[in-house]
Amino acid sequence: MSYKSRLKEIKAFVFDVDGVFTDGSVYLMPDKSMCRVMNVLDGYAVVKAIKENYKICVITGGDDPMVRNRINYLGITDYYAKISDKLEKFEEFKKKYDLKNEDILTMGDDLPDIEMMLVSGISACPENSVPEVKQISNYISPIQGGKGAVRDVIEQVMKVQGKWILDHTKSV
């Protein structure tokens, strides 16, 4: 079955943070804190998907309070931080919502994401992912992480399913 035809089956998304929601950069601040940048295009797509009842999960090895705030602000309630075994949390998320592997599109960019990507219905990655992740991905977004790659896959799924309909009377 082709990548595009499998988009019709997607009910949920699992995303990594660094390199997917961000470009992977960490800015070192004078006060010794670190900060990351996220793209509002990704945020808009996440909010739109949640309003259409897609389940969205974020599984990350990091634990930045500002990332947690942004994820919560977008309405994502399934957020797992400081995770070394991402597949375990992927399975927990799947069980929580009674999902099958083929119901889930997972987007990662680096080696810790590969196990959960391999069991997903669709594995996707941003353009600037490591070669090993690109090799196992069903779809490589032409967009880099932190620049709209999350929106790319969400929008594709919603368009195929007829749910990416613009309603200019509603604000997001």
Side-chain angles (χ1 to χ4, degrees), residues 50-126:
I50 290 170
K51 285 184 177 182
E52 289 292 336
N53 298 311
Y54 291 92
K55 303 299 179 200
I56 298 183
C57 177
V58 172
I59 305 173
T60 181
D63 189 20
D64 182 326
M66 294 307 294
V67 170
R68 182 181 298 273
N69 289 344
R70 175 68 176 161
I71 296 302
N72 289 339
Y73 176 80
L74 294 175
I76 299 170
T77 56
D78 294 289
Y79 175 72
Y80 303 99
K82 292 182 93 171
I83 304 302
S84 57
D85 183 355
K86 291 186 176 189
L87 184 58
E88 180 182 318
K89 291 300 177 187
F90 175 92
E91 293 294 337
E92 187 178 306
F93 170 72
K94 191 172 80 172
K95 185 175 180 179
K96 179 178 178 179
Y97 295 106
D98 195 29
L99 296 164
K100 299 179 289 224
N101 289 342
E102 51 271 16
D103 297 333
I104 304 170
L105 183 151
T106 298
M107 180 174 259
D109 73 307
D110 205 349
L111 302 179
D113 305 318
I114 289 177
E115 282 187 314
M116 66 179 181
M117 291 174 71
L118 286 172
V119 298
S120 295
I122 297 175
S123 58
C125 69

Side-chain angles (χ1 to χ4, degrees), residues 1-13 54 99-105 121-122 153-163:
M1 191 182 309
S2 75
Y3 161 75
K4 283 285 190 190
S5 64
R6 291 180 13 217
L7 294 176
K8 295 175 189 164
E9 309 303 317
I10 299 301
K11 299 176 184 169
F13 299 90
Y54 291 92
L99 296 164
K100 299 179 289 224
N101 289 342
E102 51 271 16
D103 297 333
I104 304 170
L105 183 151
I122 297 175
V153 293
I154 290 174
E155 187 175 329
Q156 284 188 57
V157 168
M158 292 180 71
K159 281 182 174 178
V160 164
Q161 295 181 10
K163 295 180 180 179

